Amino acid sequence: MAFPKFITHIQSSLLVALIALSNSSWAQVSFSAGELRMSISKQGTVTELSNTSTGKNYLATDTIASLITLVSKNNRYPASSMTYDKVKKKITLGFKEAGVSIEIQSTTKNSHLVFEISKAVPESKIDAIIWGPFPNTIGKTIGEIIGVVRDGEVSLGIQVLNIKTLGGAYPSAEGSTWARGIAAVPAAWGSNLQAYSINRDRNRFVDAWGGLYKNMPVAALKGETVVGSKIAVFSCQESKTFDLLEQIEIAENLPHPTIDGVWYKKSKLYGKSYMISSYGENDIDEMIAYTKRAGLVSLYHEGPFKSWGNFVLDPQQFPNGKNGLKTCVDKAHAAGLYLGMHTLSNFINTNDPYITPIPDNRLSFTGTSNLNSKIDADQTSIEIISPEYFIDEKGNNLHTVKIGSELIRYKSVSNTAPYFLLDCQRGAFGTIKAEHPAGEQVGKLFDHSYNVFFPNLDMQRDIAKNIADLMNETGVDHLDLDGHEGALASGQGDYAIELLAKDVYDRVKHDFMIGTSLSKTFYWHIGSYYNWGEPWYGGFKESMQQYRIDNQGLFDRNYMPHMLGWYLLAENTTLAEMEWMLARAAGYNAGFAMVARPAALRKNPLSNQLLDAIREWERARNGNAFNQAQQERLKNPKNEFHLEKKAEGRWVLHQYALSPIFTREKFERQPGEPTHTTWNLQYPWKEQALQFRMQVIGTQGSVKNIKMQINNYLELLFPIELAAGESLVSDGSETIRYYDKNGKPKGSFLLKTKPPVLSQGAQVILIDSDFSGDEPPKIEVQFKGLSSSENIQLN
């Protein structure tokens, strides 16, 4: 600035000071970006979160919202002052009580507002910072993972813009939570939006893995302070939210996965179903044919590795190693399929080269002590200075310590000083027994019930590189980071979880699909789908079904594709079971993973029918063939359906109806008097074969010698004893299938007489049986019949 000559040096200095003061002295500063208007007071509190289209201020007024909350020495402090430099667009927050100052660079974009910490001093007084929390009056739809809340008219949200910024409000010193997401949480006034960042540039002690491993030492990450923590804040019409999230991804250089140049979340693969199986060089062609017949987009290997960590391929399946896997990938791609592999993220098997014969020095420890005296190579009682990390049995699955390059397993720890590791197995897991001097470090290895160890953060990044390198070398383009929580073994909480995914994403050189066992705020930008729900605990109807359905609401709230989880096609899976699941998938417009192993597909006589059913239901679902009213009926687990193909893109949707439940209980009769129970069944359906499900209800005892007589002429005999909780199903054929108390198939048998064909009207059912047990169970039977049919077609 040029000054008139008559202004003295003192006057010019005063004028510069006044100009500087005018640039930084504000009672309030306001920012406008897109539809958002956000204001901050001179005390550093947020006073406005408005949407300019509605003219409403959505900030909750019955609480105070600091732009940043400081965490220092386990206390939380709101800002006490704010100054703003309008030239540099820099906010300075003062935290007088804690003696801390934080500078924040603000940047206004067309669609959103960006805040980034550019300076925070003194670093020694800063444990963590929390963006907000920002209390607001919107509570109708709370996207806990993505950090977006909606009221049917507008959206308000924050986005974390790097992995050092985590969704939430500093839930623990570890910086982790088992909650699905906490970037947005319900509050009395509506909701809170929040994010945080931890000062990791210091040695810390945390209760790791959600508090399971107490007082775990965590080494400093040099330079990893809260400086650089960065968020975006936005508001828009609710209908525009999804598009705006994509704009923010691109503008802020966030992960933006694409398929053929299209954002994955808008691509043809979004929410599509896939097959999980095994395949190898010898049976890849067979499995590709099954996957194609089912109309699924990917064939995903459930376990191709001899060991995790270095991801050594199983030589029985891939005798030609990576070249053999690449051949499988090339065949799948030629067939128009993706080819995937299952990992347990950073879990390390005990037979992996990271463990044996020389264990890597970067394995994670829950804690350490030192040898109190020298030990020779065969000593089985080892004296240590402190027992702290060795006596805790929670999560202590392998009882393994590392001393130098030797792994040693111990049975227990002596109760009093001097403390000894007792009954030691020297040279465990193929390592070499050795002498060790007094004072040498004894590290308690971080392990898991899967009989695995874990890496520290530096080694974890190598493992991420191993995954990406294998994908790059072979062309594998479908991956699940199952066991993603293994990253918590570094002690760095959700930061390590986000870093593992980002390291893989950044290194893979081609388009790919990726899933996870967890849901984190930054990962939302990387993830292709979230497919929770396992088939191992029961049949199609019983295994985690309510959990699967509950997840659909989570997906809706967080702009995630609907997925129903994994299901198991076994050697005795029926068409009715398969269509029961496919109807739910159609109702929720949800994809799924079908676990279909080669042996089961070869043994099940219905395999072709089952795969054809998957293909037709998926074509109809993905082609929007079901209207909203039909989808609501398809969601109801009490409803059963059959989809009949009439022509390409045209089907008949048949719906079954269920009778009331009929019950038979044990009762006493005088000698010679019949013991059967009589039911009067009103059969409202058109003529068809009798179908029913019989369930034994109770906690103990069993039922046997079961007989059913229909209309006083046809008798069905069931040569099986059913324990309490078990069931059997008739689908109108001679084959009766029976199930255990968890709904898992147990077997089948053939009736001597086929169930009768019944006409519409009243039917008389007699049922007899023998009961056993001190508290005999009862029998419940429900009949079903085809009740309606309607034409549907691709839309």
Side-chain angles (χ1 to χ4, degrees):
M1 178 179 290
F3 295 100
K5 292 182 180 180
F6 61 85
I7 295 180
T8 66
H9 174 72
I10 294 176
Q11 289 174 318
S12 67
S13 298
L14 179 61
L15 183 57
V16 170
L18 287 171
I19 293 171
L21 186 61
S22 70
N23 282 340
S24 60
S25 295
W26 296 81
Q28 176 170 286
V29 60
S30 296
F31 303 92
S32 292
E35 294 180 35
L36 173 72
R37 180 175 170 85
M38 183 173 181
S39 299
I40 303 166
S41 75
K42 64 180 181 180
Q43 287 79 31
T45 59
V46 179
T47 57
E48 181 184 16
L49 285 172
S50 293
N51 181 281
T52 55
S53 295
T54 65
K56 296 178 183 178
N57 182 5
Y58 295 94
L59 184 76
T61 57
D62 43 357
T63 186
I64 295 176
S66 182
L67 176 61
I68 282 181
T69 300
L70 171 70
V71 182
S72 179
K73 294 180 170 51
N74 295 321
N75 294 313
R76 300 187 181 207
Y77 301 95
S80 55
S81 64
M82 183 276 294
T83 58
Y84 180 62
D85 186 327
K86 70 176 182 180
V87 175
K88 296 181 179 179
K89 301 187 183 303
K90 184 170 291 186
I91 299 167
T92 301
L93 296 180
F95 298 84
K96 184 177 180 180
E97 189 175 352
V100 168
S101 174
I102 296 178
E103 292 183 1
I104 303 150
Q105 183 66 53
S106 66
T107 307
T108 301
K109 303 288 181 75
N110 290 334
S111 54
H112 61 284
L113 178 63
V114 176
F115 293 121
E116 180 177 6
I117 295 178
S118 55
K119 185 178 181 181
V121 292
E123 180 271 332
S124 61
K125 292 185 177 182
I126 301 171
D127 299 334
I129 63 92
I130 301 166
W131 291 99
F134 303 136
N136 64 87
T137 58
I138 298 176
K140 182 179 179 181
T141 303
I142 299 174
E144 61 267 54
I145 298 168
I146 187 58
V148 177
V149 295
R150 299 174 270 159
D151 67 359
E153 184 178 25
V154 301
S155 293
L156 182 66
I158 63 170
Q159 292 287 279
V160 300
L161 299 183
N162 50 38
I163 61 168
K164 72 160 54 188
T165 312
L166 304 169
Y170 188 60
S172 67
E174 179 192 27
S176 184
T177 174
W178 291 118
R180 285 296 190 205
I182 55 172
V185 295
W189 41 78
S191 62
N192 285 337
L193 296 170
Q194 51 198 23
Y196 71 101
S197 183
I198 293 175
N199 180 8
R200 302 176 190 276
D201 189 10
R202 56 173 67 174
N203 295 326
R204 299 180 296 136
F205 288 87
V206 305
D207 293 343
W209 203 283
L212 182 63
Y213 298 94
K214 303 296 184 183
N215 205 36
M216 176 180 170
V218 179
L221 299 181
K222 187 173 177 58
E224 188 61 33
T225 67
V226 300
V227 172
S229 180
K230 189 176 183 182
I231 64 167
V233 188
F234 70 91
S235 183
C236 65
Q237 297 174 43
E238 182 171 327
S239 61
K240 297 180 179 179
T241 308
F242 195 52
D243 290 335
L244 183 56
L245 290 171
E246 182 183 19
Q247 294 172 35
I248 294 174
E249 269 192 6
I250 295 170
E252 300 303 327
N253 198 30
L254 292 169
H256 187 69
T258 58
I259 295 292
D260 297 328
V262 178
W263 188 32
Y264 187 93
K265 292 176 173 59
K266 292 182 177 178
S267 78
K268 61 184 179 181
L269 294 179
Y270 189 74
K272 294 299 189 292
S273 303
Y274 56 95
M275 181 176 286
I276 295 178
S277 188
S278 62
Y279 59 80
E281 295 176 48
N282 293 331
D283 55 8
I284 182 64
D285 296 314
E286 179 187 11
M287 290 310 305
I288 286 174
Y290 287 135
T291 308
K292 291 287 288 183
R293 180 160 191 157
L296 301 176
V297 299
S298 179
L299 172 59
Y300 175 90
H301 202 305
E302 62 181 327
F305 300 112
K306 179 182 176 182
S307 72
W308 302 310
N310 280 274
F311 301 100
V312 180
L313 289 167
D314 182 348
Q316 292 187 340
Q317 298 178 85
F318 301 99
N320 291 301
K322 294 179 182 178
N323 289 334
L325 177 56
K326 186 178 187 307
T327 298
C328 293
V329 172
D330 292 343
K331 288 183 175 182
H333 288 176
L337 298 175
Y338 287 75
L339 201 75
M341 62 183 188
H342 181 261
T343 71
L344 272 170
S345 298
N346 67 339
F347 288 40
I348 307 173
N349 292 116
T350 58
N351 64 331
D352 190 80
Y354 278 134
I355 304 298
T356 183
I358 301 175
D360 197 289
N361 288 328
R362 299 168 299 167
L363 290 169
S364 180
F365 295 150
T366 62
T368 65
S369 184
N370 298 91
L371 290 175
N372 204 35
S373 58
K374 175 185 176 182
I375 61 171
D376 63 32
D378 297 308
Q379 204 164 314
T380 58
S381 294
I382 298 174
E383 187 178 0
I384 55 176
I385 293 175
S386 169
E388 177 183 0
Y389 297 105
F390 308 89
I391 59 174
D392 191 352
E393 287 300 304
K394 292 181 180 178
N396 191 0
N397 301 281
L398 292 174
H399 281 237
T400 304
V401 299
K402 181 178 180 294
I403 307 177
S405 293
E406 181 185 0
L407 300 186
I408 302 169
R409 301 185 75 177
Y410 65 96
K411 181 179 180 181
S412 59
V413 183
S414 57
N415 293 325
T416 58
Y419 296 104
F420 286 89
L421 304 180
L422 302 174
D423 296 327
C424 295
Q425 300 174 17
R426 303 297 301 275
F429 305 113
T431 59
I432 307 302
K433 298 190 294 184
E435 295 181 357
H436 300 284
E440 189 164 0
Q441 183 186 74
V442 183
K444 170 65 181 67
L445 285 178
F446 205 123
D447 63 24
H448 187 273
S449 59
Y450 281 23
N451 292 333
V452 293
F453 298 116
F454 292 101
N456 67 14
L457 195 69
D458 178 57
M459 186 181 177
Q460 174 186 294
R461 304 197 76 173
D462 273 2
I463 290 176
K465 180 179 182 296
N466 293 342
I467 295 172
D469 286 349
L470 180 60
M471 294 177 70
N472 288 331
E473 290 175 42
T474 62
V476 164
D477 47 11
H478 187 180
L479 174 73
D480 256 355
L481 290 176
D482 198 5
H484 203 162
E485 66 274 13
L488 298 176
S490 66
Q492 296 290 359
D494 289 353
Y495 171 88
I497 289 173
E498 304 281 34
L499 182 63
L500 175 61
K502 187 173 186 297
D503 277 344
V504 172
Y505 174 82
D506 287 345
R507 287 182 173 276
V508 177
K509 298 176 182 177
H510 51 265
D511 293 350
F512 67 101
M513 298 187 289
I514 185 170
T516 177
S517 58
L518 297 178
S519 52
K520 298 298 175 183
T521 301
F522 185 85
Y523 179 84
W524 184 92
H525 300 284
I526 294 173
S528 308
Y529 60 85
Y530 307 75
N531 204 17
W532 299 311
E534 297 177 356
W536 323 121
Y537 314 107
F540 277 71
K541 297 183 180 181
E542 288 83 5
S543 188
M544 305 178 74
Q545 189 57 31
Q546 189 57 49
Y547 170 78
R548 299 169 190 266
I549 291 172
D550 290 345
N551 282 332
Q552 306 314 306
L554 177 84
F555 299 149
D556 277 331
R557 296 191 299 272
N558 290 283
Y559 297 98
M560 294 152 70
H562 284 230
M563 301 295 285
L564 274 181
W566 296 19
Y567 290 90
L568 178 65
L569 191 165
E571 61 187 62
N572 46 16
T573 297
T574 67
L575 183 61
E577 290 171 321
M578 181 65 73
E579 289 201 289
W580 182 89
M581 183 278 292
L582 292 167
R584 306 293 85 77
Y588 288 101
N589 192 19
F592 53 84
M594 184 55 59
V595 181
R597 292 158 176 154
L601 287 164
R602 293 166 191 152
K603 291 179 182 178
N604 192 316
L606 301 175
S607 284
N608 287 341
Q609 285 181 260
L610 298 173
L611 296 175
D612 290 347
I614 293 171
R615 181 188 66 247
E616 296 307 319
W617 276 94
E618 283 291 277
R619 281 182 179 174
R621 175 178 78 86
N622 292 317
N624 300 314
F626 304 105
N627 62 38
Q628 187 172 354
Q630 290 165 342
Q631 284 184 296
E632 289 304 312
R633 284 188 279 126
L634 289 163
K635 288 178 182 178
N636 189 339
K638 294 181 180 180
N639 294 335
E640 297 189 30
F641 299 86
H642 169 60
L643 190 67
E644 179 188 3
K645 181 179 179 179
K646 302 301 290 184
E648 284 300 320
R650 294 174 55 208
W651 303 267
V652 178
L653 179 65
H654 302 288
Q655 182 171 354
Y656 293 89
L658 300 175
S659 75
I661 295 174
F662 295 89
T663 303
R664 168 177 165 76
E665 299 183 65
K666 182 179 181 180
F667 52 84
E668 298 298 331
R669 287 280 191 264
Q670 64 183 5
E673 184 178 357
T675 60
H676 64 252
T677 301
T678 301
W679 298 328
N680 293 311
L681 170 65
Q682 291 299 320
Y683 200 74
W685 311 302
K686 66 181 183 180
E687 186 174 274
Q688 56 193 282
L690 180 69
Q691 301 182 60
F692 59 88
R693 176 184 177 89
M694 182 183 297
Q695 180 92 31
V696 179
I697 305 298
T699 58
Q700 58 175 279
S702 64
V703 179
K704 62 182 178 181
N705 299 326
I706 306 168
K707 296 183 288 186
M708 181 183 289
Q709 183 176 282
I710 298 95
N711 292 331
N712 298 313
Y713 83 99
L714 181 69
E715 190 170 73
L716 304 177
L717 302 177
F718 303 96
I720 186 174
E721 183 172 1
L722 295 174
E726 295 183 335
S727 61
L728 60 77
V729 173
S730 166
D731 62 1
S733 70
E734 296 96 331
T735 301
I736 300 293
R737 290 178 168 80
Y738 54 97
Y739 302 83
D740 69 14
K741 64 181 180 180
N742 295 316
K744 284 187 177 181
K746 286 189 70 175
S748 64
F749 59 87
L750 295 177
L751 293 171
K752 292 183 178 180
T753 304
K754 188 175 181 179
V757 174
L758 300 183
S759 300
Q760 191 176 42
Q763 318 290 331
V764 178
I765 310 293
L766 273 64
I767 186 165
D768 205 352
S769 63
D770 294 333
F771 295 90
S772 67
D774 294 335
E775 296 181 17
K778 59 184 178 180
I779 296 174
E780 289 186 350
V781 176
Q782 193 168 32
F783 300 91
K784 83 172 186 178
L786 185 63
S787 64
S788 65
S789 301
E790 51 194 314
N791 294 315
I792 64 170
Q793 63 184 25
L794 293 179
N795 183 16

